[in-house]
Amino acid sequence: MSGIVWFLPFAAVAAWSPVAAKLLWHALNLVCLGAGVWLSVKTWEAVRVRAGLPARAWLPMLFAPLLAILLPAQTNFEHQNMNALLLALLAGATWQLTLGSAVGAGILIGTATALKAFPALLILYLAARRYWAAAIAATVSAFLLSIVVPLAVYGTTGFSQLAQDFWRLGNSGWPVRGNNQSLIAAIDLMTLGFSAAGFDVDGVRVAGDAPA
């Protein structure tokens, strides 16, 4: 629900021009993609030096990760998702951990968790590794951005409505498509195949993809 607060500036631009809002979002995604790759390379370089590993040419190190995420990146931009933003936040968190800033890393992971649920797994990792300062900072940040900020913006009534809408949409079915790269889609593909029947959202039938 904190994502709604995050997207308010884009909604304001969209009220003036939907095309401008989309272009702004794509521009932000490009910046985040570049930042995520750059921070990942910087983190690896710092770890490599500490581990005493030999230096390697920087071009393969820069472009190999890009090749690895080429298809997910294309899907991210096609569907205007926020994965590039999450990449930048999480790459920044690993860089902060490398610098010894546990609180900074935790805040970035908490921000990513507030935007999408799966980065919360990294909080469990931090706890398992006993990075307590980072784990606590991530938990507090996620709570503030997911609960406190929306409450302050929308009030209890608005927040309650958002929670009800979130629960309703979460239980209305899953749009499993052929190019869906989520864990749920992978499980669906391995077990049932992509459903041609689709699913219901508020009584409206949404078609799925036919099995290959």
Side-chain angles (χ1 to χ4, degrees):
M1 284 177 285
S2 61
I4 298 174
V5 178
W6 164 261
F7 290 117
L8 281 177
F10 296 94
V13 175
W16 168 66
S17 170
V19 174
K22 291 180 181 180
L23 291 174
L24 180 62
W25 176 245
H26 281 304
L28 175 64
N29 268 261
L30 285 171
V31 171
C32 288
L33 178 61
V37 172
W38 179 67
L39 288 168
S40 297
V41 171
K42 283 178 64 69
T43 301
W44 164 246
E45 275 295 302
V47 172
R48 180 192 64 77
V49 171
R50 292 179 187 177
L53 298 175
R56 295 183 178 180
W58 67 272
L59 277 175
M61 288 182 58
L62 181 63
F63 288 105
L66 281 175
L67 290 175
I69 63 168
L70 193 58
L71 180 59
Q74 183 273 331
T75 303
N76 175 81
F77 284 95
E78 178 185 354
H79 296 286
Q80 302 176 46
N81 290 332
M82 62 172 69
N83 294 320
L85 172 60
L86 296 175
L87 172 65
L89 289 171
L90 297 179
T94 59
W95 175 240
Q96 288 297 304
L97 279 177
T98 303
L99 295 178
S101 177
V103 174
I107 291 174
L108 291 173
I109 292 174
T111 302
T113 301
L115 289 171
K116 211 157 190 177
F118 72 84
L121 295 173
L122 292 176
I123 300 178
L124 299 179
Y125 169 79
L126 293 173
R129 294 295 302 270
R130 298 187 178 183
Y131 295 143
W132 299 119
I136 292 172
T139 302
V140 172
S141 299
F143 177 79
L144 288 174
L145 293 172
S146 299
I147 305 297
V148 177
V149 172
L151 274 172
V153 172
Y154 298 107
T156 54
T157 302
F159 181 82
S160 176
Q161 184 61 53
L162 285 174
Q164 292 175 30
D165 291 342
F166 178 82
W167 181 260
R168 175 178 54 81
L169 292 172
N171 288 277
S172 62
W174 185 261
V176 177
R177 299 178 295 272
N179 61 351
N180 192 318
Q181 299 163 5
S182 68
L183 177 60
I184 293 178
I187 295 173
D188 182 89
L189 176 62
M190 290 186 294
T191 56
L192 302 175
F194 293 118
S195 173
F199 59 97
D200 291 318
V201 178
D202 291 343
V204 177
R205 197 66 175 171
V206 180
D209 285 351

